[in-house]
Amino acid sequence: MTTSSRYLVSVTRLIQADRQWLFDVLADPAQHPLIDGSGSVKAVRPGGPARLSLGATFSMDMHLAADYRIRNTVVEFDEPALIGWRHFNGHIWRYRFTEVAGGTEVTEEWDARGAPNRLALVLLRFPQRNRAGMIATLDRLAELAGSRD
C-alpha cells in the first residue's frame, strides 16, 4: 500500500518476520546499504554507533548523481515500533512496525513536512523518486527476512 501527499510519502508492506527482528535491522546502520532500494546508500561511515538510539548520530556514504556523505540524527525511537532519523535538510526517514496476523506490517515514510526547502524537494520530484526506492527497500527487507530461514 502506498499513500502520498505533497510532502509525505508512505509505503506499507506485510513482511513475514518478527517486528523486533525487523526493528533490529533498521537500528543497525551497517544494514542500511543492504536494504536500500534506491541505490543511493553505499556504506556506513566509521565512528558512529553500532546500534541506533534516540539522539544518536550516524553518517553514510551516499551517491545521487555524485558521491557525498550525509549525517543523520535519530529523532524518533520507540522500540520495537518506530524509528526515524532526520537529515541536515530537515526531512525524516521513518519506519513503523506493527504486529499483524502473518508477520509485521512495515511502513516506511519520507516526511518533508518540516523541511525548510520542501517545495524545492517536490519540484525536483523527490516524492516520486523516493516512493519507487521505498517500495524496493521494503522488498529487500522482506528478502533479507526470508533468507534467514
Side-chain angles (χ1 to χ4, degrees):
M1 172 174 52
T2 302
T3 60
S4 62
S5 64
R6 191 169 189 161
Y7 305 119
L8 176 68
V9 178
S10 178
V11 176
T12 301
R13 176 178 175 155
L14 175 64
I15 298 178
Q16 295 177 346
D18 174 72
R19 80 176 179 159
Q20 182 65 58
W21 183 86
L22 292 162
F23 184 93
D24 289 342
V25 170
L26 270 297
D28 177 358
Q31 299 296 314
H32 294 190
L34 299 175
I35 64 166
D36 171 52
S38 72
S40 63
V41 180
K42 298 304 180 188
V44 64
R45 301 282 308 155
R51 180 168 168 74
L52 300 177
S53 59
L54 188 61
T57 59
F58 65 104
S59 298
M60 305 299 284
D61 286 332
M62 306 287 290
H63 182 86
L64 184 62
D67 291 336
Y68 65 99
R69 295 177 184 160
I70 197 154
R71 183 180 167 117
N72 308 287
T73 302
V74 177
V75 294
E76 300 174 348
F77 192 91
D78 181 16
E79 187 169 351
L82 170 71
I83 189 168
W85 51 86
R86 180 176 44 230
H87 295 312
F88 69 93
N89 185 46
H91 58 278
I92 297 173
W93 288 98
R94 174 183 301 119
Y95 291 83
R96 299 178 191 277
F97 306 90
T98 305
E99 284 186 69
V100 296
T104 303
E105 208 172 66
V106 181
T107 300
E108 182 179 0
E109 294 178 345
W110 176 80
D111 187 349
R113 293 175 294 184
N117 64 346
R118 63 186 173 269
L119 182 57
L121 293 170
V122 170
L123 294 174
L124 292 169
R125 302 187 48 79
F126 276 96
Q128 294 86 348
R129 286 191 276 179
N130 288 338
R131 182 181 307 108
M134 292 160 68
I135 291 167
T137 294
L138 293 183
D139 288 347
R140 285 183 168 202
L141 186 57
E143 288 172 16
L144 183 63
S147 71
R148 303 177 304 131
D149 300 331

